[in-house]
Amino acid sequence: MTDITIRRAKKEDCARIMELVQELADYEKAPNEVTVSLDHFIESGFGQQPVWWAFVATSVEEGVEQIHAFALYYIRYSTWKGQRMYLEDIVVTEKMRCQGIGKMLFDQLIVEAKERNLHGIVWQVLEWNEPAIQFYKKYNASFDGEWINCSIVP
C-alpha cells in the first residue's frame, strides 16, 4: 500500500475534490447532476463563512502530492440531539479502493466529531450501494428505512 496521509483540505485542493465529486456522481449513475461551480464550491468551504469542511487522503508520488480521497462534512442541528456532523460525501478514487483509505478517513471524522463535541455523525447511502453499506456495517451504523428523502428547488 502507498503511504497515505490524512489532512485537512485546503483551498488549493478544491479542483481535485470536484473531480472526485464527479467520479462519485458517475458511480451513482447521475453524471449530469453536479452543477455547482468551482468558485461557489471554494467560497462555500474557504470563504468568510465556510459551511463545509473536509479531510483528504494523500500520497507523494515522484515528489508530487496526489489526492486519492476525501470526506466532506458540515454541521447540522437536530432539535432532538443538538449539533451533529453530516457526512455529505466520502469518496475514494476507484484505483485506490480496498486499501483502508476509507477507514482512515472515517476514523478521522470520528475524532473530529468528538473534538467538536458533536452528538453523532449522520449520512445517507444509496440502497443499492452494497460496498458502502458493508463498510458502514463495520462501524455498527444504524440504518433507518423509515424516513423518506425530500427536496425542492426554490
Side-chain angles (χ1 to χ4, degrees), residues 12-70:
E12 299 78 29
D13 301 330
C14 287
R16 175 63 178 144
I17 292 171
M18 287 301 300
E19 289 174 3
L20 291 169
V21 167
Q22 187 61 56
E23 185 176 327
L24 175 64
D26 294 345
Y27 175 77
E28 291 185 351
K29 303 174 181 122
N32 299 320
E33 295 300 314
V34 179
T35 59
V36 65
S37 72
L38 180 59
D39 288 342
H40 181 76
F41 186 74
I42 292 169
E43 178 65 26
S44 297
F46 296 95
Q48 291 206 359
Q49 296 181 345
V51 296
W52 64 260
W53 298 268
F55 292 97
V56 294
T58 69
S59 69
V60 177
E61 298 174 13
E62 298 180 9
V64 178
E65 184 184 59
Q66 303 291 322
I67 296 174
H68 304 292
F70 77 92

Side-chain angles (χ1 to χ4, degrees), residues 2 33 37 40 70 79 88 96-97 107 121 132 153:
T2 308
E33 295 300 314
S37 72
H40 181 76
F70 77 92
T79 56
E88 178 64 23
M96 297 299 287
R97 291 182 191 150
D107 290 348
I121 303 172
V153 178

Side-chain angles (χ1 to χ4, degrees), residues 128-140:
W128 56 261
N129 191 345
E130 198 58 35
I133 291 168
Q134 293 307 313
F135 173 81
Y136 296 133
K137 283 183 177 179
K138 293 176 187 175
Y139 286 90
N140 295 317

Side-chain angles (χ1 to χ4, degrees), residues 49-105:
Q49 296 181 345
V51 296
W52 64 260
W53 298 268
F55 292 97
V56 294
T58 69
S59 69
V60 177
E61 298 174 13
E62 298 180 9
V64 178
E65 184 184 59
Q66 303 291 322
I67 296 174
H68 304 292
F70 77 92
L72 185 146
Y73 72 92
Y74 56 89
I75 307 303
R76 66 177 264 194
Y77 190 80
S78 165
T79 56
W80 290 13
K81 304 291 183 186
Q83 290 185 9
R84 305 183 95 187
M85 177 184 286
Y86 187 86
L87 173 57
E88 178 64 23
D89 286 323
I90 184 168
V91 180
V92 179
T93 193
E94 186 174 8
K95 73 175 187 163
M96 297 299 287
R97 291 182 191 150
C98 300
Q99 296 188 39
I101 297 171
K103 181 181 184 330
M104 292 171 72
L105 282 167

